[in-house]
Amino acid sequence: MVMPSGTSRILLVLVLCWVARSRQELAPVQLRLGGPRGPAGEGRLEVLYQGRWGTVCDDGFDFHAATVACRQLGYTAAITWTHSATYGQGEGPIWLDNVRCGGGEGSLAECVHNGWGISDCHHGEDAGVVCSGQRLPGNSPQATTSGHLGEVLGLTLEEVRLKPILARAKLSMPVMEGAVEVKHNGRWRQVCDANWTRNNSRVVCGMLGFPREKHINTSFYRKLWNRKLKDPNSSLKTLSQKNSFWVHKVRCQGSEPHLARCPVQMAPPAPRQHACPHGMHAIVSCLPGPAVQKGKGKNKTAPGKVLPVRLRAGTHAGEGRVEVLRHGQWGTVCDKQWDLTAASVVCRQLGYGTAKQALVGARMGQGLGPIHMSNVQCTGHERSLGECRFQDAEQNGCRHEADAAVRCHMPYMDFKSQVRLAGGRNPEEGVVEVLVPVQGQLQWGAVCGAQWGLNEAMVVCRQLGLGFASHALQETWYWAGSPGATQVVMSGVRCAGTELALQQCQRHGPVHCPSGGGRFSAGVTCTAHAPDLVMNAQLVQETAYLEDRPLGLLYCAHEERCLSRSADNMQWPYGHRRLLRFSSQIHNLGRADFRPRMGRHAWTWHQCHRHFHSIEVFTHYDLLTLNGSKVAEGHKASFCLEDTNCPEGLQRRFACANFGEQGVSVGCWDTYRHDIDCQWIDITDVPPGSYTFQVVVNPKHEVAESDFSNNVMRCQCKYDGQRVWMHGCHTSDAYGADVVSDLERRERLANNLV
């Protein structure tokens, strides 16, 4: 017997170790979905390895990895994947990082990754998946699969696209008409037009971000197809004879949110049968929604019993908390039985495509006010959410912790390639540079910083897919733009804040930038989440009253300019002022804490009241005539911005005591009682009559918010000279954006911007 030498022993040990390690890495692992309760097939992706459950980092995670995970979980396909702990942060180890799959693997363990437990991530980067609700026969949610899964109906339909055929379709953006192509096992296939129905077109258009399909005459396309078949230089004849070129048959009902939920036949049932005899590729034409046509994100309310809907607090266009206008008041929807079908009805009603995700557990922030609907059940063909079956939420004990939200399919507009940030410390900040035509040629250039504000910055951040703007800078001294983009190519930009791209905003015709750009170019800082302050209108209505307050008690308030100008001419301390007092409760309904822009070192000390002001003007109080003229005004500084109260389960984090940190946490509220100084309007000089009482929170937009349209509250006010009645109090977005438009119009007039 020949004994191996020393070198041979070492090689043998290394080979055995490598084999053992390979077997360990490829050993079957179990998957499960975690996070808040929600529809089947979606949640945080968790892996069982070496007896411990852990999570998967979102670095490198993509649709192919989601497809493998969903198949391993026993679902037919992946609809989408999520990042940044969308379904909450997990616990335990982060087992996988930088997962890269081809899409055909039988298990997530077969994909390339850093190695088990090797990660530089934290649980705020946990990945999640949304799988098709159609479960494969014999598979449980935690099933482990290995090997080739075979040709199961609809198993690996991954993506859909339209290939434009006509010249006008090739030039349009987004592409709304063309031949349907489906990605199957990582390869694009044509779909045979035999037995193709309008219901199929409806589902395809929904996946591409369009609300409806359009009837199309395919005779011209048939002529083009036949001409290409006869062309000796075309490879179409050879390709079309291969079954691998085709998807044989699709049968949708039209209510499906994704083509993966339709019965799909990849190959003909009989062997050696041609997949598309005498056929051609299916042609689809889609109708765009108002958001694509005008870029304003608005939708006209159709007549009939259609209930208006809107989305709030979403980071990107086409996503947010679902709110419904019912009984004259906006309210939320409870997430009981909330699913992709109901979410798709909302998305189509708003002019988008079908829903990518139906989110539960107030994942887009909690609403304020009534909860209008619960147990919503839709067929998928309804024109509005109001046509679906539902129950009143009051009967189900729903709370705002269960507010439903959606993410809709949006058309690909290529807006992201028309703007960029340069010179910042990270990809979320920098000088704004835009691509616009200059003398007939597309050219990158800067934006003039004059009049640049948060609305304009919001549009840029949304266009780049970076969320909300946290700062809008009119001077960018510390950021150097791109060397070839120093010329100012856009000036006088004015956005409503809802546009999908900066190029859709109003701007000067000929560029006019007196400051000259350079260090005075526009800049932005973006953030994934933002606060959203909303006044509790009902509390104002319930607490309003009059007080005749002696001047001797108003010295400090007079110093802070909380009284009308006529108080300057009185014989102090003799006399009194008539004050309209009320309490204000300001909720943070956003997804980030509301913090003063300035740090504690920059707060202003007021000796008379002996406290610091973190924001000099936090709220404006105005009394207006019915035609909008101001007859009295007041303001309130944020001398103490804190969590007065929080819902059950949330801890107060900000308190003013002992020079503490100021702010309002997510979900909490700050209350200014009616009996503190400056919590009033001085109406001493106001004659009896009917007025409009108005409160504007964060009036100068000193701190960025996800939504400024709900910062204005209005009440109808009647004053008879001795008593005051307040009624009909509501935030400005309760009945539309008319209040904000009026305010903006007046502000522009005051600043000579029109």
Side-chain angles (χ1 to χ4, degrees):
M1 180 177 177
V2 180
M3 297 294 292
S5 64
T7 305
S8 301
R9 284 196 192 100
I10 293 171
L11 288 171
L12 182 61
V13 169
L14 288 173
V15 168
L16 290 173
C17 289
W18 180 82
V19 170
R21 183 173 179 270
S22 300
R23 284 178 178 170
Q24 184 187 29
E25 289 192 352
L26 294 178
V29 294
Q30 282 188 292
L31 303 183
R32 72 180 183 188
L33 298 179
R37 61 183 178 84
E42 64 175 81
R44 180 179 60 251
L45 187 58
E46 297 186 353
V47 183
L48 180 64
Y49 180 70
Q50 291 184 344
R52 293 187 66 191
W53 285 102
T55 61
V56 179
C57 181
D58 60 14
D59 290 352
F61 201 85
D62 59 10
F63 189 83
H64 295 302
T67 299
V68 174
C70 286
R71 271 193 253 142
Q72 186 175 349
L73 285 161
Y75 295 94
T76 55
I79 294 175
T80 187
W81 63 278
T82 67
H83 57 84
S84 304
T86 299
Y87 294 98
Q89 298 187 18
E91 297 177 349
I94 299 176
W95 281 127
L96 297 174
D97 188 9
N98 288 312
V99 179
R100 295 181 182 85
C101 305
E105 293 86 352
S107 166
L108 208 63
E110 297 175 17
C111 300
V112 177
H113 53 84
N114 286 356
W116 291 98
I118 302 175
S119 170
D120 59 355
C121 301
H122 53 81
H123 282 297
E125 301 172 83
D126 286 345
V129 294
V130 180
C131 306
S132 168
Q134 188 176 355
R135 185 74 53 75
L136 293 176
N139 276 297
S140 66
Q142 295 183 16
T144 302
T145 59
S146 59
H148 185 62
L149 290 172
E151 286 276 325
V152 181
L153 297 185
L155 177 61
T156 53
L157 293 188
E158 300 161 14
E159 297 176 58
V160 174
R161 70 184 181 190
L162 292 182
K163 182 180 180 182
I165 306 295
L166 304 181
R168 60 178 171 80
K170 292 178 180 178
L171 294 174
S172 69
M173 183 60 69
V175 176
M176 294 182 286
E177 184 174 307
V180 182
E181 293 188 331
V182 175
K183 199 171 189 180
H184 169 73
N185 278 343
R187 181 176 177 179
W188 288 99
R189 293 186 179 215
Q190 303 272 331
V191 181
C192 182
D193 72 338
N195 302 313
W196 184 264
T197 66
R198 195 156 178 176
N199 282 339
N200 295 344
S201 298
R202 174 177 164 86
V203 175
V204 168
C205 289
M207 290 180 63
L208 296 172
F210 303 106
R212 291 178 300 280
E213 78 290 351
K214 175 184 172 185
H215 176 72
I216 183 170
N217 187 347
T218 59
S219 57
F220 182 71
Y221 285 95
R222 171 65 71 174
K223 290 178 182 177
L224 287 178
W225 175 270
N226 292 335
R227 190 184 303 169
K228 279 196 173 184
L229 286 178
K230 295 175 183 177
D231 186 355
N233 297 322
S234 174
S235 59
L236 182 62
K237 186 173 183 179
T238 306
L239 288 172
S240 62
Q241 291 174 347
K242 297 179 179 179
N243 282 355
S244 60
F245 180 73
W246 295 104
V247 172
H248 180 63
K249 191 181 292 184
V250 179
R251 295 189 300 275
C252 298
Q253 296 179 355
S255 59
E256 297 87 350
H258 194 284
L259 208 63
R261 293 196 172 184
C262 303
V264 177
Q265 198 172 340
M266 300 304 301
R272 299 181 182 177
Q273 181 183 345
H274 194 279
C276 194
H278 313 298
M280 68 169 190
H281 44 210
I283 302 295
V284 167
S285 182
C286 303
L287 285 171
V292 175
Q293 290 173 317
K294 299 179 182 179
K296 299 293 182 184
K298 295 180 181 178
N299 197 13
K300 293 182 180 178
T301 302
K305 70 171 196 172
V306 174
L307 288 179
V309 295
R310 67 183 184 188
L311 303 181
R312 282 289 182 264
T315 304
H316 306 289
E319 69 176 35
R321 180 178 62 252
V322 179
E323 296 189 357
V324 182
L325 183 61
R326 192 164 175 245
H327 306 312
Q329 193 172 5
W330 286 101
T332 60
V333 178
C334 183
D335 64 11
K336 287 184 179 179
Q337 297 191 26
W338 186 248
D339 59 13
L340 278 172
T341 305
S344 293
V345 171
V346 170
C347 292
R348 287 188 191 273
Q349 183 180 348
L350 290 167
Y352 307 129
T354 48
K356 287 191 289 187
Q357 291 178 270
L359 301 173
V360 298
R363 219 164 292 139
M364 292 289 180
Q366 297 183 23
L368 185 69
I371 303 173
H372 284 320
M373 306 170 79
S374 178
N375 296 87
V376 180
Q377 293 178 293
C378 305
T379 64
H381 289 283
E382 295 86 353
R383 290 179 306 138
S384 102
L385 198 65
E387 296 178 5
C388 301
R389 289 192 300 161
F390 65 90
Q391 297 176 5
D392 286 331
E394 296 176 359
Q395 304 171 3
N396 290 274
C398 286
R399 301 172 63 179
H400 282 297
E401 290 88 337
D403 283 344
V406 298
R407 284 196 176 100
C408 304
H409 283 291
M410 295 287 291
Y412 177 71
M413 299 291 291
D414 198 32
F415 285 144
K416 195 172 179 179
S417 65
Q418 300 170 26
V419 66
R420 67 189 183 192
L421 302 182
R425 296 162 296 180
N426 56 61
E428 288 77 40
E429 67 177 23
V431 178
V432 178
E433 296 178 351
V434 292
L435 184 65
V436 294
V438 177
Q439 296 180 347
Q441 289 188 336
L442 288 175
Q443 178 180 325
W444 285 101
V447 179
C448 185
Q451 301 174 19
W452 183 259
L454 273 173
N455 277 351
E456 292 71 39
M458 284 284 186
V459 174
V460 170
C461 293
R462 184 185 301 115
Q463 186 174 351
L464 288 168
L466 298 175
F468 306 103
S470 56
H471 296 94
L473 297 102
Q474 296 184 349
E475 300 179 10
T476 48
W477 291 89
Y478 301 104
W479 295 338
S482 303
T486 54
Q487 180 184 344
V488 175
V489 295
M490 191 180 286
S491 65
V493 182
R494 297 293 293 181
C495 302
T498 57
E499 294 87 352
L500 300 177
L502 200 65
Q503 287 80 355
Q504 295 175 344
C505 300
Q506 298 177 7
R507 61 182 189 268
H508 289 157
V511 174
H512 176 67
C513 188
S515 58
R519 297 306 185 204
F520 295 95
S521 299
V524 300
T525 303
C526 303
T527 179
H529 303 297
D532 182 21
L533 297 186
V534 181
M535 174 79 77
N536 185 337
Q538 187 64 30
L539 184 66
V540 174
Q541 183 169 309
E542 294 171 354
T543 58
Y545 67 96
L546 295 179
E547 180 193 9
D548 290 336
R549 193 162 181 81
L551 287 178
L553 301 177
L554 293 172
Y555 279 104
C556 289
H558 189 220
E559 180 190 291
E560 291 192 17
R561 313 302 302 171
C562 293
L563 300 176
S564 298
R565 292 177 184 174
S566 62
D568 298 343
N569 304 321
M570 295 190 70
Q571 299 297 319
W572 289 74
Y574 307 106
H576 67 272
R577 304 297 294 181
R578 175 156 291 180
L579 308 176
L580 170 55
R581 283 186 173 274
F582 55 93
S583 294
S584 65
Q585 188 180 85
I586 300 169
H587 292 248
N588 181 4
L589 302 184
R591 301 172 67 196
D593 298 335
F594 184 90
R595 300 294 307 277
R597 186 177 65 175
M598 299 182 298
R600 283 187 289 186
H601 64 282
W603 294 353
T604 306
W605 172 257
H606 282 258
Q607 180 64 31
C608 191
H609 276 133
R610 300 194 61 78
H611 58 226
F612 286 94
H613 286 182
S614 55
I615 301 176
E616 272 304 317
V617 181
F618 181 52
T619 47
H620 269 167
Y621 308 137
D622 298 311
L623 198 65
L624 312 171
T625 62
L626 298 184
N627 65 6
S629 301
K630 188 183 297 185
V631 294
E633 65 180 14
H635 72 272
K636 190 83 187 86
S638 67
F639 69 88
C640 179
L641 200 62
E642 66 177 359
D643 296 330
T644 309
N645 291 100
C646 294
E648 184 180 348
L650 285 180
Q651 292 280 18
R652 294 176 57 197
R653 294 173 45 236
F654 297 108
C656 301
N658 302 319
F659 196 42
E661 289 289 350
Q662 293 193 22
V664 184
S665 301
V666 175
C668 300
W669 57 90
D670 185 17
T671 302
Y672 284 86
R673 287 172 49 90
H674 57 84
D675 53 0
I676 62 176
D677 263 8
C678 297
Q679 189 62 34
W680 63 58
I681 292 182
D682 182 357
I683 63 168
T684 306
D685 308 318
V686 175
S690 295
Y691 299 95
T692 298
F693 174 70
Q694 177 177 284
V695 179
V696 186
V697 183
N698 191 16
K700 296 184 177 180
H701 296 182
E702 283 193 39
V703 179
E705 299 183 45
S706 61
D707 184 6
F708 288 115
S709 69
N710 53 17
N711 283 37
V712 182
M713 188 222 66
R714 275 186 165 180
C715 302
Q716 296 176 53
C717 177
K718 184 174 177 60
Y719 173 50
D720 67 357
Q722 298 297 325
R723 293 168 296 176
V724 67
W725 292 268
M726 206 88 77
H727 60 98
C729 296
H730 63 277
T731 52
S732 59
D733 65 341
Y735 305 104
D738 56 326
V739 177
V740 178
S741 300
D742 290 343
L743 282 173
E744 189 177 75
R745 198 176 299 114
R746 284 188 216 130
E747 185 180 333
R748 290 191 190 184
L749 285 168
N751 292 287
N752 296 317
L753 295 178
V754 176

